[in-house]
Amino acid sequence: MRLRSLTLAAVGAALLAPVALPALAADPQRPVQREGEVTAARLLAKARGCVRVSEGLYSSDAGTPAAIPVCGLDGAVFWKADMDIDCDGRPSPHCNRDTDPWFQPTTSFLQSDGRYLRSESLPFVVVPVASRIWDHRVHGIRGGSVAAVIYEDRVQYAVVGDTGPQNIIGEASYATAKALGIRPDPRTGGTASGVTYILFEDSRVTPIEDHDAAVRLGEERARTWVGGPALRRGAAMRGGAAS
């Protein structure tokens, strides 16, 4: 859960700059993990247009303009935003109260054994809590839904693993960022733009912590999505509005 943005909003803009500015850089020295056969180019080409399914728009961080829509197309929803680092859940060497001043030992969704997710090792994305801006549940998006996260020429499959503030979008776990070559440090990591999040409707990885299963299902749904029919509008988009 992205408590960083809520905390910054509460303490004021004076604390925003030293936290946000270092988050612009990726980490080119990190090993990059590439998964599956569907390329970033094919996924991005499919997500080029936007039929808006959100009632309103999201901000990338507290205090920034609301300009990010959630779009829908052929059985998936997607948005293009920044990436903040979610280091919450079960404590680990890089995600704990000492490394992350916004650390929370919980996640909105649980593993099959009842424990919270481990953001350092499990690739997952964060969705805004359901609100009048957008209710992800209407689109069959829930804990364990599979996602394809694209950054530059890299694709990382992940699950929906946590929820964040109702008016902010663009966040993923430490493990997701690391696999994409984005600096995963919860204090100074992330990237200010260039990330596309594609969530496949009515999909679910069971158990949620099985990343290999997420890759298999994600690749299957991605392959179908990029090879599917052309843009559908109106009723086909579960209440979508062209934008």
Side-chain angles (χ1 to χ4, degrees), residues 109-166:
F109 305 107
L110 304 176
Q111 289 190 168
S112 57
D113 60 4
R115 294 188 295 172
Y116 294 110
L117 305 183
R118 190 175 187 268
S119 56
E120 184 172 336
S121 58
L122 181 66
F124 66 76
V125 300
V126 179
V127 295
V129 68
S131 71
R132 287 182 293 179
I133 298 176
W134 179 56
D135 186 345
H136 56 273
R137 300 169 299 183
V138 172
H139 298 269
I141 304 299
R142 52 188 170 174
S145 291
V146 70
V149 187
I150 301 101
Y151 179 69
E152 296 180 344
D153 63 345
R154 306 155 191 169
V155 180
Q156 171 68 21
Y157 292 105
V159 292
V160 173
D162 206 356
T163 57
Q166 67 177 15

Side-chain angles (χ1 to χ4, degrees), residues 61-105:
D61 290 293
T64 62
I68 303 170
V70 176
C71 309
L73 174 63
D74 294 336
V77 297
F78 59 92
W79 56 88
K80 300 174 183 181
D82 64 341
M83 181 181 286
D84 292 331
I85 306 302
D86 187 329
C87 226
D88 294 340
R90 287 159 49 209
S92 58
H94 292 98
C95 291
N96 55 65
R97 295 189 186 279
D98 294 328
T99 62
D100 182 1
W102 306 278
F103 178 76
Q104 296 291 316

Side-chain angles (χ1 to χ4, degrees), residues 27-33 94 154 174 177-179 181-185:
D27 187 350
Q29 301 305 315
R30 290 193 175 277
V32 175
Q33 180 176 345
H94 292 98
R154 306 155 191 169
Y174 182 105
K178 181 178 179 181
I182 296 171
R183 184 176 298 140
D185 186 278

Side-chain angles (χ1 to χ4, degrees), residues 35 109-113 117 122-125 140-148 156-161 198-222:
E35 298 181 318
F109 305 107
L110 304 176
Q111 289 190 168
S112 57
D113 60 4
L117 305 183
L122 181 66
F124 66 76
V125 300
I141 304 299
R142 52 188 170 174
S145 291
V146 70
Q156 171 68 21
Y157 292 105
V159 292
V160 173
I198 301 171
L199 280 57
F200 297 104
E201 297 179 350
D202 302 314
S203 65
R204 192 169 193 178
V205 175
T206 305
I208 191 173
E209 67 270 20
D210 187 343
H211 180 61
D212 289 339
V215 173
R216 291 192 297 270
L217 180 58
E219 175 73 1
E220 175 186 321
R221 295 297 294 266

